[in-house]
Amino acid sequence: MTNYDKIKNYFEQYFATNNIYLQIETKLVDASYNDKEERYLYSGKRNLAVISMDNVANDGYRKLKNALGDPVNTVDALLVDRDNEWYFIEFKDCKISSKKDNIEKKGTYNFLMLLDILKDDNYKMWEGYSSAFEFARNKITYIVVCSSEKDPYSYDQIRSADIMGVKYTPPCLQKFKDYFFKDAYAYTIEYFENRFVNSFTYA
């Protein structure tokens, strides 16, 4: 069983124990859907299976907590690779700078929700680490994926960074990179597909 399957199965069992049944898994293309403009931001050939954090948050976690307020702010997708590296993926069909607060909230709330769900000893998310925060500093990467057409500034920064063999971290992701996670950076759709999706492996 892959690391991805382990966490997917855990989510399913966790909610089923509480008589909550939901679609945990979706496809990367579907996770990139922009409701307002009715279009998919990502339409690459490799359509990876991902954990829908929107579904986990709003069809599962929110019901479990009997929350009546606003929906839980989470990233669009979670992926876990063969090395147990965790990737929070958020699609933004706009300028990253225009959604600074939203991006920060989603990264933070996503992690806090996972801490609450995974606190059960049946799933040792941070086994081998002194705490969940040490695990996050060593294993979690936050990726924001944007449109080069709608965010030409970020595209230029991402392209320049790629030429130098590094990744571009916009200001709204800097604190995640510096303090909380292993890394945090932005990609345009093209770089996301070429640098991440095409090389991603479950096992």
Side-chain angles (χ1 to χ4, degrees), residues 13-80:
Q13 294 168 12
Y14 174 82
F15 289 115
T17 299
N18 293 280
N19 295 314
I20 298 172
Y21 301 92
L22 64 146
Q23 185 67 42
I24 298 287
E25 192 173 64
T26 188
K27 291 291 189 176
L28 193 58
V29 169
D30 296 319
S32 76
Y33 187 66
N34 180 341
D35 293 324
K36 291 183 179 179
E37 298 197 12
E38 298 183 341
R39 75 167 190 145
Y40 297 95
L41 189 56
Y42 173 79
S43 57
K45 293 181 180 179
R46 193 165 185 226
N47 196 11
L48 297 171
V50 300
I51 293 170
S52 170
M53 296 310 296
D54 286 336
N55 289 355
V56 169
N58 296 306
D59 296 338
Y61 190 69
R62 195 171 181 223
K63 289 181 180 178
L64 182 66
K65 298 298 182 179
N66 293 315
L68 301 176
D70 294 332
V72 182
N73 281 289
T74 56
V75 300
D76 292 313
L78 170 66
L79 270 170
V80 183

Coordinates of all heavy atoms in Angstrom, one line a residue, residues 13-80:
Q13 N -12.0 5.8 6.7 CA -12.4 5.1 7.9 C -12.7 6.1 9.0 O -13.6 5.8 9.8 CB -11.2 4.2 8.3 CG -10.9 3.0 7.4 CD -9.6 2.3 7.6 OE1 -9.0 2.5 8.7 NE2 -9.2 1.5 6.7
Y14 N -12.0 7.1 9.1 CA -12.2 8.1 10.2 C -13.7 8.7 10.1 O -14.4 8.8 11.1 CB -11.2 9.3 10.0 CG -11.4 10.4 10.9 CD1 -11.0 10.4 12.3 CD2 -12.1 11.6 10.5 CE1 -11.1 11.5 13.1 CE2 -12.2 12.7 11.3 CZ -11.8 12.6 12.7 OH -11.9 13.7 13.5
F15 N -14.1 9.1 8.9 CA -15.4 9.6 8.7 C -16.5 8.6 8.8 O -17.6 8.8 9.4 CB -15.5 10.4 7.5 CG -14.7 11.7 7.5 CD1 -13.7 11.9 6.6 CD2 -15.1 12.7 8.4 CE1 -12.9 13.1 6.7 CE2 -14.4 13.9 8.4 CZ -13.3 14.1 7.6
A16 N -16.2 7.4 8.3 CA -17.2 6.3 8.3 C -17.5 5.9 9.7 O -18.6 5.5 10.1 CB -16.7 5.1 7.5
T17 N -16.5 5.9 10.6 CA -16.7 5.6 12.0 C -17.7 6.5 12.6 O -18.4 6.2 13.6 CB -15.3 5.7 12.8 OG1 -14.4 4.8 12.2 CG2 -15.5 5.4 14.3
N18 N -17.8 7.7 12.1 CA -18.7 8.7 12.6 C -20.0 8.8 11.7 O -20.7 9.8 11.7 CB -18.1 10.1 12.7 CG -17.0 10.1 13.7 OD1 -17.3 10.3 14.9 ND2 -15.7 10.0 13.3
N19 N -20.2 7.8 10.9 CA -21.4 7.7 10.0 C -21.4 8.8 9.0 O -22.5 9.3 8.6 CB -22.7 7.6 10.8 CG -22.8 6.4 11.6 OD1 -22.5 5.3 11.1 ND2 -23.1 6.5 12.9
I20 N -20.3 9.2 8.5 CA -20.2 10.2 7.5 C -19.5 9.6 6.3 O -18.3 9.1 6.4 CB -19.4 11.5 7.9 CG1 -20.1 12.1 9.1 CG2 -19.2 12.4 6.8 CD1 -19.3 13.2 9.8
Y21 N -20.2 9.6 5.1 CA -19.6 9.0 3.9 C -19.5 10.0 2.8 O -20.4 10.8 2.5 CB -20.5 7.8 3.5 CG -20.6 6.8 4.6 CD1 -21.7 6.8 5.5 CD2 -19.7 5.8 4.7 CE1 -21.8 5.9 6.5 CE2 -19.8 4.8 5.7 CZ -20.8 4.9 6.6 OH -20.9 4.0 7.6
L22 N -18.3 10.1 2.2 CA -18.1 11.2 1.2 C -17.1 10.7 0.2 O -16.4 9.7 0.4 CB -17.6 12.4 1.9 CG -16.2 12.4 2.6 CD1 -15.5 13.7 2.5 CD2 -16.4 12.0 4.1
Q23 N -17.0 11.4 -0.9 CA -16.0 11.1 -1.9 C -14.7 11.8 -1.5 O -14.5 13.0 -1.7 CB -16.5 11.7 -3.3 CG -15.6 11.3 -4.4 CD -15.6 9.8 -4.8 OE1 -16.7 9.2 -4.7 NE2 -14.4 9.3 -5.0
I24 N -13.8 11.0 -1.1 CA -12.5 11.5 -0.6 C -11.6 11.9 -1.8 O -10.9 12.9 -1.8 CB -11.7 10.5 0.3 CG1 -12.5 10.1 1.5 CG2 -10.3 10.9 0.6 CD1 -12.5 11.2 2.6
E25 N -11.6 11.1 -2.8 CA -10.7 11.2 -3.9 C -11.3 11.9 -5.1 O -12.5 11.7 -5.4 CB -10.2 9.8 -4.3 CG -9.0 9.8 -5.3 CD -8.4 8.4 -5.5 OE1 -9.2 7.6 -6.1 OE2 -7.3 8.1 -5.1
T26 N -10.5 12.6 -5.8 CA -10.9 13.3 -7.1 C -9.7 13.2 -8.0 O -8.7 12.6 -7.7 CB -11.5 14.7 -6.9 OG1 -12.0 15.2 -8.1 CG2 -10.3 15.6 -6.4
K27 N -9.9 13.9 -9.2 CA -8.7 14.0 -10.1 C -8.2 15.4 -10.1 O -8.9 16.3 -9.8 CB -9.2 13.6 -11.5 CG -9.6 12.1 -11.7 CD -8.3 11.2 -11.6 CE -8.6 9.8 -12.0 NZ -7.4 9.0 -12.0
L28 N -6.9 15.5 -10.5 CA -6.2 16.8 -10.4 C -6.9 17.8 -11.3 O -7.1 19.0 -10.9 CB -4.8 16.6 -10.9 CG -3.8 17.7 -10.7 CD1 -3.7 18.1 -9.2 CD2 -2.4 17.4 -11.2
V29 N -7.4 17.4 -12.5 CA -8.1 18.3 -13.3 C -9.4 18.8 -12.6 O -9.6 20.0 -12.6 CB -8.5 17.6 -14.7 CG1 -9.5 18.5 -15.4 CG2 -7.3 17.3 -15.5
D30 N -10.1 18.0 -12.0 CA -11.4 18.4 -11.3 C -11.0 19.3 -10.1 O -11.8 20.2 -9.8 CB -12.2 17.2 -10.8 CG -12.7 16.3 -12.0 OD1 -13.1 16.9 -13.0 OD2 -12.6 15.1 -11.9
A31 N -9.9 19.0 -9.4 CA -9.5 19.9 -8.3 C -9.2 21.3 -8.7 O -9.3 22.2 -7.9 CB -8.3 19.2 -7.6
S32 N -8.9 21.5 -10.0 CA -8.5 22.8 -10.5 C -9.7 23.6 -11.0 O -9.5 24.7 -11.5 CB -7.4 22.6 -11.6 OG -8.0 22.2 -12.8
Y33 N -10.9 23.1 -10.9 CA -12.0 23.7 -11.5 C -12.3 25.1 -10.8 O -12.4 25.2 -9.6 CB -13.2 22.8 -11.3 CG -14.5 23.3 -12.1 CD1 -14.5 23.4 -13.5 CD2 -15.6 23.7 -11.4 CE1 -15.6 23.9 -14.1 CE2 -16.7 24.2 -12.0 CZ -16.7 24.3 -13.4 OH -17.8 24.7 -14.1
N34 N -12.5 26.1 -11.6 CA -12.9 27.4 -11.2 C -14.4 27.6 -11.3 O -14.9 27.7 -12.5 CB -12.1 28.5 -12.0 CG -12.4 29.9 -11.6 OD1 -13.5 30.2 -11.0 ND2 -11.6 30.8 -12.0
D35 N -15.1 27.6 -10.2 CA -16.6 27.7 -10.3 C -17.1 29.0 -10.9 O -18.0 28.9 -11.7 CB -17.2 27.6 -8.9 CG -16.9 26.2 -8.3 OD1 -17.0 25.2 -9.0 OD2 -16.7 26.1 -7.0
K36 N -16.4 30.1 -10.6 CA -16.9 31.4 -11.1 C -16.8 31.5 -12.6 O -17.7 32.0 -13.3 CB -16.1 32.5 -10.4 CG -16.4 32.6 -8.9 CD -15.7 33.8 -8.3 CE -16.0 33.9 -6.8 NZ -15.3 35.1 -6.2
E37 N -15.7 31.0 -13.1 CA -15.5 31.1 -14.6 C -15.8 29.8 -15.3 O -15.7 29.8 -16.6 CB -14.0 31.6 -14.9 CG -13.7 32.9 -14.3 CD -12.5 33.5 -14.9 OE1 -12.0 33.0 -15.9 OE2 -12.0 34.6 -14.4
E38 N -16.2 28.8 -14.6 CA -16.6 27.5 -15.2 C -15.5 27.0 -16.1 O -15.8 26.7 -17.3 CB -17.9 27.7 -15.9 CG -19.1 28.0 -14.9 CD -20.4 28.1 -15.6 OE1 -20.4 28.2 -16.9 OE2 -21.4 28.0 -14.9
R39 N -14.3 26.9 -15.6 CA -13.2 26.3 -16.4 C -12.2 25.6 -15.5 O -12.1 25.9 -14.3 CB -12.5 27.4 -17.2 CG -11.6 28.3 -16.5 CD -10.8 29.1 -17.4 NE -9.7 29.9 -16.8 CZ -8.5 30.1 -17.3 NH1 -8.2 29.6 -18.5 NH2 -7.6 30.8 -16.7
Y40 N -11.5 24.7 -16.1 CA -10.5 23.9 -15.4 C -9.1 24.6 -15.6 O -8.7 24.9 -16.8 CB -10.4 22.5 -15.9 CG -11.7 21.7 -15.7 CD1 -12.7 21.6 -16.7 CD2 -11.9 21.1 -14.5 CE1 -13.8 20.9 -16.4 CE2 -13.1 20.4 -14.2 CZ -14.0 20.3 -15.2 OH -15.2 19.6 -15.0
L41 N -8.4 25.0 -14.6 CA -7.2 25.6 -14.7 C -6.1 24.7 -15.2 O -5.3 25.0 -16.0 CB -6.7 26.2 -13.3 CG -5.5 27.1 -13.3 CD1 -5.7 28.3 -14.3 CD2 -5.3 27.7 -11.9
Y42 N -6.1 23.4 -14.7 CA -5.2 22.4 -15.2 C -5.9 21.4 -16.1 O -7.0 20.9 -15.8 CB -4.6 21.6 -14.0 CG -3.8 20.4 -14.4 CD1 -2.4 20.6 -14.8 CD2 -4.3 19.1 -14.3 CE1 -1.7 19.6 -15.2 CE2 -3.5 18.1 -14.7 CZ -2.2 18.3 -15.1 OH -1.4 17.2 -15.5
S43 N -5.3 21.1 -17.2 CA -5.9 20.2 -18.2 C -4.8 19.3 -18.8 O -4.9 18.9 -19.9 CB -6.7 20.9 -19.3 OG -5.8 21.8 -20.0
G44 N -3.8 19.0 -18.0 CA -2.7 18.2 -18.5 C -3.0 16.8 -18.8 O -4.0 16.3 -18.4
K45 N -2.1 16.1 -19.5 CA -2.3 14.7 -19.9 C -2.3 13.8 -18.7 O -3.0 12.8 -18.7 CB -1.3 14.3 -20.9 CG -1.3 15.0 -22.3 CD -0.3 14.6 -23.2 CE -0.4 15.3 -24.6 NZ 0.7 14.9 -25.5
R46 N -1.5 14.1 -17.7 CA -1.4 13.2 -16.6 C -2.4 13.7 -15.5 O -2.1 14.7 -14.8 CB 0.0 13.2 -16.0 CG 0.3 12.0 -15.0 CD 1.7 11.8 -14.8 NE 1.9 10.6 -13.9 CZ 2.6 10.5 -12.9 NH1 3.4 11.6 -12.5 NH2 2.7 9.5 -12.1
N47 N -3.5 13.0 -15.4 CA -4.5 13.4 -14.5 C -4.5 12.6 -13.2 O -5.2 11.6 -13.0 CB -5.9 13.3 -15.1 CG -7.0 14.0 -14.4 OD1 -6.7 14.8 -13.5 ND2 -8.2 13.7 -14.8
L48 N -3.6 13.0 -12.3 CA -3.3 12.3 -11.0 C -4.6 12.2 -10.1 O -5.4 13.1 -10.1 CB -2.2 13.0 -10.2 CG -0.8 13.0 -10.9 CD1 0.1 13.9 -10.0 CD2 -0.2 11.6 -11.0
A49 N -4.7 11.1 -9.4 CA -5.7 11.0 -8.4 C -5.2 11.7 -7.2 O -4.0 11.6 -6.8 CB -5.9 9.5 -8.0
V50 N -6.0 12.6 -6.6 CA -5.7 13.4 -5.4 C -6.7 13.3 -4.4 O -7.9 12.9 -4.7 CB -5.4 14.9 -5.8 CG1 -4.3 15.0 -6.9 CG2 -6.8 15.5 -6.3
I51 N -6.4 13.7 -3.2 CA -7.4 13.8 -2.1 C -8.0 15.2 -2.2 O -7.3 16.2 -2.2 CB -6.7 13.5 -0.7 CG1 -6.2 12.1 -0.6 CG2 -7.7 13.9 0.4 CD1 -5.4 11.8 0.6
S52 N -9.3 15.2 -2.3 CA -10.0 16.5 -2.3 C -10.1 17.1 -0.9 O -10.9 16.6 -0.1 CB -11.4 16.3 -3.0 OG -12.1 17.5 -2.8
M53 N -9.3 18.1 -0.6 CA -9.4 18.7 0.7 C -10.7 19.5 0.9 O -11.1 19.7 2.0 CB -8.2 19.5 0.9 CG -6.9 18.8 1.0 SD -6.9 17.3 2.1 CE -7.2 18.1 3.7
D54 N -11.2 20.0 -0.2 CA -12.5 20.7 -0.2 C -13.6 19.7 0.3 O -14.4 20.0 1.2 CB -12.9 21.2 -1.5 CG -12.1 22.5 -1.9 OD1 -11.6 23.2 -1.0 OD2 -12.0 22.7 -3.1
N55 N -13.6 18.5 -0.2 CA -14.6 17.5 0.2 C -14.3 17.0 1.6 O -15.3 16.9 2.4 CB -14.5 16.3 -0.7 CG -15.1 16.5 -2.1 OD1 -15.6 17.6 -2.4 ND2 -15.0 15.6 -3.0
V56 N -13.1 16.8 2.0 CA -12.7 16.4 3.4 C -13.2 17.5 4.3 O -13.8 17.2 5.4 CB -11.2 16.2 3.5 CG1 -10.8 16.0 5.0 CG2 -10.8 14.9 2.7
A57 N -13.0 18.7 4.0 CA -13.3 19.8 4.9 C -14.8 20.1 5.0 O -15.3 20.1 6.1 CB -12.6 21.1 4.5
N58 N -15.5 20.2 3.9 CA -16.9 20.6 3.9 C -17.9 19.5 3.9 O -19.0 19.7 4.4 CB -17.1 21.6 2.7 CG -16.2 22.8 2.9 OD1 -16.3 23.5 3.9 ND2 -15.4 23.2 1.9
D59 N -17.6 18.3 3.3 CA -18.5 17.2 3.4 C -18.2 16.3 4.5 O -19.1 15.4 4.9 CB -18.4 16.4 2.0 CG -18.8 17.3 0.8 OD1 -19.6 18.3 1.0 OD2 -18.4 16.9 -0.3
G60 N -17.1 16.4 5.1 CA -16.7 15.5 6.2 C -16.5 16.2 7.5 O -17.3 16.1 8.5
Y61 N -15.4 17.0 7.6 CA -15.0 17.7 8.8 C -16.1 18.6 9.4 O -16.4 18.7 10.6 CB -13.7 18.4 8.6 CG -13.0 18.9 9.9 CD1 -12.5 18.1 10.8 CD2 -12.9 20.3 10.1 CE1 -11.9 18.6 11.9 CE2 -12.3 20.8 11.2 CZ -11.8 19.9 12.1 OH -11.1 20.4 13.2
R62 N -16.7 19.4 8.5 CA -17.7 20.4 8.9 C -18.9 19.7 9.5 O -19.5 20.1 10.5 CB -18.1 21.2 7.7 CG -18.9 22.5 8.1 CD -19.0 23.4 6.8 NE -19.7 24.6 7.2 CZ -20.7 25.1 6.4 NH1 -21.0 24.5 5.3 NH2 -21.3 26.2 6.8
K63 N -19.3 18.6 8.9 CA -20.5 17.8 9.4 C -20.1 17.2 10.8 O -20.9 17.2 11.7 CB -20.8 16.7 8.4 CG -21.5 17.2 7.2 CD -21.9 16.0 6.2 CE -22.6 16.5 5.0 NZ -22.9 15.4 4.1
L64 N -18.9 16.7 10.9 CA -18.4 16.0 12.1 C -18.5 17.0 13.3 O -18.9 16.7 14.4 CB -17.0 15.5 11.9 CG -16.4 14.8 13.1 CD1 -17.2 13.5 13.4 CD2 -14.9 14.5 12.8
K65 N -18.1 18.3 13.0 CA -18.1 19.3 14.0 C -19.4 20.0 14.2 O -19.5 20.9 15.1 CB -17.0 20.3 13.7 CG -15.6 19.8 13.6 CD -15.1 19.2 15.0 CE -13.7 18.7 14.9 NZ -13.3 18.1 16.2
N66 N -20.4 19.7 13.4 CA -21.7 20.3 13.4 C -21.5 21.8 13.3 O -22.2 22.6 13.9 CB -22.5 20.0 14.7 CG -22.9 18.6 14.8 OD1 -23.4 18.0 13.8 ND2 -22.6 18.0 15.9
A67 N -20.6 22.2 12.4 CA -20.3 23.6 12.2 C -21.4 24.3 11.3 O -21.8 23.8 10.3 CB -19.0 23.8 11.5
L68 N -21.9 25.4 11.8 CA -22.9 26.1 11.1 C -22.5 27.4 10.4 O -23.2 28.1 9.7 CB -24.1 26.5 12.1 CG -24.7 25.3 12.8 CD1 -25.7 25.8 13.8 CD2 -25.4 24.4 11.8
G69 N -21.2 27.8 10.6 CA -20.7 29.0 10.1 C -20.2 28.8 8.7 O -20.6 28.0 7.9
D70 N -19.2 29.6 8.3 CA -18.6 29.6 7.0 C -17.9 28.3 6.7 O -17.4 27.6 7.6 CB -17.7 30.8 6.8 CG -18.3 32.1 6.8 OD1 -19.6 32.2 6.5 OD2 -17.7 33.1 7.2
P71 N -17.8 27.9 5.4 CA -17.0 26.7 5.1 C -15.6 26.8 5.6 O -15.0 27.9 5.7 CB -17.1 26.7 3.5 CG -18.3 27.5 3.2 CD -18.4 28.6 4.2
V72 N -15.0 25.6 5.8 CA -13.6 25.5 6.2 C -12.7 25.9 5.1 O -12.9 25.4 3.9 CB -13.3 24.1 6.7 CG1 -11.8 24.1 7.2 CG2 -14.2 23.7 7.8
N73 N -11.8 26.8 5.3 CA -10.8 27.2 4.3 C -9.7 26.2 4.2 O -8.9 26.1 5.1 CB -10.2 28.6 4.6 CG -11.2 29.7 4.2 OD1 -11.4 30.0 3.1 ND2 -11.8 30.3 5.2
T74 N -9.6 25.5 3.1 CA -8.6 24.5 2.9 C -8.0 24.6 1.4 O -8.7 25.2 0.6 CB -9.0 23.0 3.1 OG1 -10.1 22.8 2.2 CG2 -9.4 22.8 4.6
V75 N -6.9 24.0 1.2 CA -6.4 23.9 -0.2 C -7.2 23.0 -1.0 O -8.1 22.3 -0.5 CB -4.9 23.5 -0.1 CG1 -4.0 24.4 0.7 CG2 -4.7 22.0 0.4
D76 N -6.9 23.0 -2.3 CA -7.8 22.2 -3.2 C -7.4 20.7 -3.1 O -8.3 19.8 -3.2 CB -7.6 22.6 -4.6 CG -8.2 24.0 -4.9 OD1 -9.3 24.2 -4.4 OD2 -7.5 24.9 -5.5
A77 N -6.2 20.3 -3.0 CA -5.8 18.9 -3.1 C -4.6 18.6 -2.2 O -3.8 19.5 -1.8 CB -5.4 18.6 -4.5
L78 N -4.5 17.3 -1.8 CA -3.4 16.8 -1.1 C -2.8 15.6 -1.9 O -3.6 14.7 -2.3 CB -3.8 16.3 0.3 CG -2.8 15.5 1.1 CD1 -1.6 16.4 1.5 CD2 -3.5 14.9 2.4
L79 N -1.5 15.6 -2.0 CA -0.8 14.4 -2.6 C 0.3 14.0 -1.7 O 0.9 14.8 -1.0 CB -0.2 14.8 -4.0 CG -1.1 14.6 -5.2 CD1 -0.5 15.3 -6.4 CD2 -1.3 13.1 -5.5
V80 N 0.5 12.7 -1.6 CA 1.6 12.1 -0.8 C 2.4 11.2 -1.7 O 1.8 10.3 -2.3 CB 1.0 11.3 0.4 CG1 2.2 10.8 1.3 CG2 0.1 12.2 1.2

